[in-house]
Amino acid sequence: MSSPISPVPQGPAPHVIDPAGGCPHALNARLRAEHGAVAEVVLPGGVPGAVVLGHDALKEFLAHPEVAKGARHFPALHDGTIPADWPLRVFANAQGMHTADDADHRRLRGLVGKAFTIRQVERLRPRVEQLTAELLDDLGRAAAESPDGTADLYEHFALPLPMNVICELLGVDPEHRGRLHHLTNRVIIATDITPAEKMVALQELMALTGTIAAARAANPGEDLTSALIAAREDDGDRLTEVELIGTMRLMLVAGHETTLNLIVNAVRALCAHRDQLALVLVLDAKATWSDVVDETLRWDTPVSWFPFRYPTRDLTVDGTVIPQGTPVLAGYSAAGRDESFHGSDADRFDITRPTAARSLAFGHGAHYCTGAPLARLEATIALERLFTRFPDLDLAVPDAELPYQNSFISNNVQSLPVRL
């Protein structure tokens, strides 16, 4: 059987994705100018695909009833067209809430969603505030002990806050957390490592996740993993082992990597736009910290291009036909600066922008991020407490010199040295 994927017709040459990634914004602007709202791409490994770049087009695509998440709708993955060691196979083959459709998706989302309602998340506020205070102490000590008075805000604050929160929610013991971040970064975020390296990391991640699940099964607690293990539907079906591990992996990654990126990108934006920072620091504040979070989600969203969705028939999106079975990336960073929706000043960071809340950073439709309330809570508390305690905080190196993560999926830098 031959691959059903054919080129997106009548357009510029496809964009060949650089696995090393980098800052996405100049590339997004160029692709929107050359291709419009949908661009044909060549994924790492030479696999043809597409990316949806426009806000309205992406919103339509994410909620379209004939767009699926399950890899059974990606024939080239199974018919020998794509090799077994394709580096992005980990995204397509993953099993869990994020790759399920219809009834399976509703079942899995129902099990997880109870932990992320606004009311449940508000119960976590005191713990998030406590962790934030402790980590700000750590950040201050690191800067005081450094010969040049700098500290890495990424390492001492932006990473451990969401990592500890999601791990406590899932019942992950502290000794596993550092390794989990390393492995999830290798498996999900890094897109420039070899298939063999990714497979080794994936196998270790699955084994470690299984160890955590087994510990919770043997000694259940008041955590989400224990609840997932014990969960039964009305017909008595348990969450399968594969679904459990896949769902845990999703929550570990989405529960800390995206919030980490959100905090770091917001700090970078505020340091580069002191006038915007002043709007939330003054006594008669003209904006709120929630406004900062919303505008960061639009202007420098935590996820750049996220895989995959598949049209279940040939689908026309904003005048471009995306053939059935094409692996499609959701271009969140591109949609956030789409001038046709956000206006001619879409490249400007403006926390008073009225349309900021309409960002697609958390998705849209049935797969809208269940953890959005928790991410907003963590980021809002983190930013408010950080700049209230250290109002003169600034980057220790020019923003343009910060090394980006080696990923076209995640949108973040590798470190964030600051002076307090």
Side-chain angles (χ1 to χ4, degrees):
M1 177 179 175
S2 62
S3 169
I5 301 177
S6 57
V8 179
Q10 297 182 354
H15 168 69
V16 179
I17 293 176
D18 182 356
C23 181
H25 301 302
L27 172 62
N28 286 333
R30 178 172 66 81
L31 291 179
R32 281 197 309 269
E34 294 177 357
H35 296 254
V38 180
E40 181 184 2
V41 298
V42 179
L43 297 159
V47 175
V51 58
V52 183
L53 304 161
H55 179 280
D56 289 341
L58 182 57
K59 186 175 182 179
E60 173 193 350
F61 184 77
L62 293 176
H64 201 288
E66 292 173 295
V67 172
K69 292 278 280 181
R72 68 185 182 87
H73 298 284
F74 184 11
L77 194 70
H78 314 291
D79 65 10
T81 302
I82 296 174
D85 65 348
W86 184 45
L88 298 184
R89 189 176 279 271
V90 63
F91 293 97
N93 283 344
Q95 295 188 46
M97 183 174 68
H98 59 308
T99 56
D101 292 306
D102 303 324
D104 278 341
H105 175 251
R106 289 190 293 272
R107 174 174 60 89
L108 295 171
R109 189 179 179 94
L111 294 171
V112 173
K114 297 172 185 177
F116 293 102
T117 64
I118 293 175
R119 177 178 294 182
Q120 288 294 98
V121 166
E122 273 299 316
R123 294 176 60 185
L124 298 173
R125 179 180 291 274
R127 181 57 178 150
V128 174
E129 291 174 341
Q130 179 185 7
L131 281 170
T132 299
E134 293 170 357
L135 291 170
L136 288 175
D137 289 342
D138 181 56
L139 181 67
R141 281 193 298 269
E145 295 169 1
S146 171
D148 60 359
T150 67
D152 186 353
L153 187 139
Y154 184 113
E155 175 186 353
H156 292 283
F157 185 67
L159 167 60
L161 176 60
M163 189 68 183
N164 284 331
V165 170
I166 195 64
C167 283
E168 289 183 8
L169 189 63
L170 287 169
V172 177
D173 294 331
E175 61 264 27
H176 297 312
R177 296 174 189 178
R179 192 63 184 166
L180 279 172
H181 171 66
H182 171 77
L183 292 172
T184 56
N185 191 277
R186 298 279 284 176
V187 172
I188 306 298
I189 304 304
T191 54
D192 66 332
I193 63 175
T194 67
E197 290 172 322
K198 191 169 283 286
M199 182 55 65
V200 168
L202 175 61
Q203 290 172 343
E204 185 181 347
L205 176 60
M206 293 178 67
L208 181 53
T209 309
T211 297
I212 294 164
R216 296 282 67 80
N219 185 24
E222 298 297 320
D223 56 81
L224 184 53
T225 301
S226 298
L228 290 172
I229 292 170
R232 289 181 181 272
E233 293 298 290
D234 292 339
D235 61 3
D237 289 338
R238 282 190 184 275
L239 193 71
T240 69
E241 184 70 16
V242 171
E243 288 172 337
L244 173 65
I245 299 302
T247 299
M248 289 177 64
R249 190 175 74 188
L250 167 67
M251 289 189 292
L252 282 166
V253 175
H256 88 275
E257 287 283 357
T258 53
T259 308
L260 156 66
N261 293 4
L262 173 56
I263 294 170
V264 167
N265 290 349
V267 171
R268 293 171 54 216
L270 290 171
C271 287
H273 302 84
R274 308 301 293 198
D275 61 323
Q276 299 296 300
L277 177 58
L279 294 178
V280 286
L281 286 181
V282 295
L283 290 177
D284 56 341
K286 300 297 190 294
T288 68
W289 291 101
S290 292
D291 294 328
V292 173
V293 169
D294 282 335
E295 179 67 346
T296 303
L297 287 167
R298 180 200 71 83
W299 189 72
D300 207 10
T301 188
V303 176
S304 187
W305 293 2
F306 193 77
F308 289 118
R309 282 174 166 82
Y310 317 99
T312 58
R313 65 168 175 82
D314 290 359
L315 196 67
T316 300
V317 178
D318 198 56
T320 298
V321 176
I322 306 177
Q324 177 182 351
T326 299
V328 182
L329 300 159
Y332 293 117
S333 60
R337 298 198 187 188
D338 181 5
E339 293 184 353
S340 67
F341 180 81
H342 292 289
S344 59
D345 66 342
D347 278 338
R348 182 165 62 90
F349 183 75
D350 178 6
I351 64 174
T352 68
R353 185 184 302 272
T355 60
R358 288 186 274 170
S359 161
L360 296 172
F362 287 122
H364 178 67
H367 285 271
Y368 182 83
C369 177
T370 56
L374 179 58
R376 288 183 180 278
L377 177 76
E378 291 177 286
T380 303
I381 292 172
L383 294 167
E384 178 181 12
R385 302 299 169 88
L386 174 67
F387 282 101
T388 299
R389 182 158 172 181
F390 304 114
D392 296 324
L393 181 147
D394 206 351
L395 304 188
V397 298
D399 187 84
E401 296 179 12
L402 295 171
Y404 262 75
Q405 287 183 343
N406 296 323
S407 176
F408 65 85
I409 296 170
S410 180
N411 178 33
N412 197 4
V413 293
Q414 296 179 23
S415 63
L416 193 65
V418 298
R419 287 191 173 87
L420 306 181

